[in-house]
Amino acid sequence: KNNEIRELVIKNVSHCYKMRENLLREDLDAFGQGLDTAWHFKRKFTKEISSNYLDEIYTYAIQNGAGGGKLLGAGGGGYFLFFVEHFKKVKFLNAMAKKNLYQTLFNFDQDGMQSWSIRDTSENGK
């Protein structure tokens, strides 16, 4: 089993370099497909990587226009990042909203992941 995992890690690292090259070359379609391949690699590491619910979301997203995706974060507060071609965006967002799954806007930057939450200090929020 350890040899299988070791080989999978080597393939995954090599694949990540290909995805980096796709980004640098601005080949976003290949990058999206690369996310899908990476998702399938990641799921082979352990059964705890995903769940039936997450697998359903991922499959539904692919069926509705996503080229690939990645699970971000840990525990109960993570996100899916999906690559969707521009002309498929409306269909994708409408389909996800039907499942009560909504987008969160974000930007790429050089500092890595940052998030903030705002405390409700109004009388209703106590």
Side-chain angles (χ1 to χ4, degrees):
K1 183 78 177 174
N2 285 340
N3 285 336
E4 289 176 34
I5 296 297
R6 188 175 297 114
E7 288 298 316
L8 189 56
V9 168
I10 291 167
K11 288 179 183 179
N12 196 38
V13 169
S14 175
H15 179 70
C16 288
Y17 281 112
K18 288 177 190 172
M19 289 178 61
R20 178 181 178 269
E21 290 300 316
N22 291 331
L23 277 177
L24 292 173
R25 291 185 177 135
E26 298 182 20
D27 187 350
L28 298 181
D29 291 337
F31 176 75
Q33 292 169 359
L35 284 174
D36 185 59
T37 301
W39 170 254
H40 293 288
F41 274 146
K42 188 173 186 176
R43 290 186 69 248
K44 291 179 183 179
F45 282 112
T46 176
K47 291 180 181 179
E48 285 81 32
I49 290 292
S50 189
S51 67
N52 288 339
Y53 178 64
L54 295 175
D55 290 343
E56 287 173 21
I57 292 171
Y58 189 88
T59 300
Y60 184 74
I62 297 297
Q63 290 170 345
N64 285 282
K70 178 166 178 51
L71 189 60
L72 307 171
Y79 289 85
F80 263 116
L81 172 74
F82 290 109
F83 173 78
V84 181
E85 294 177 54
H86 184 71
F87 65 92
K88 296 180 181 179
K89 182 178 175 181
V90 172
K91 175 189 174 192
F92 175 81
L93 292 175
N94 287 336
M96 298 308 274
K98 286 180 185 176
K99 297 278 188 180
N100 292 318
L101 302 167
Y102 298 96
Q103 71 177 335
T104 299
L105 300 178
F106 70 95
N107 292 311
F108 289 106
D109 67 25
Q110 297 296 317
D111 297 326
M113 174 65 182
Q114 298 178 27
S115 65
W116 297 269
S117 60
I118 300 171
R119 252 185 284 169
D120 185 356
T121 57
S122 68
E123 288 184 34
N124 294 336
K126 298 180 183 176

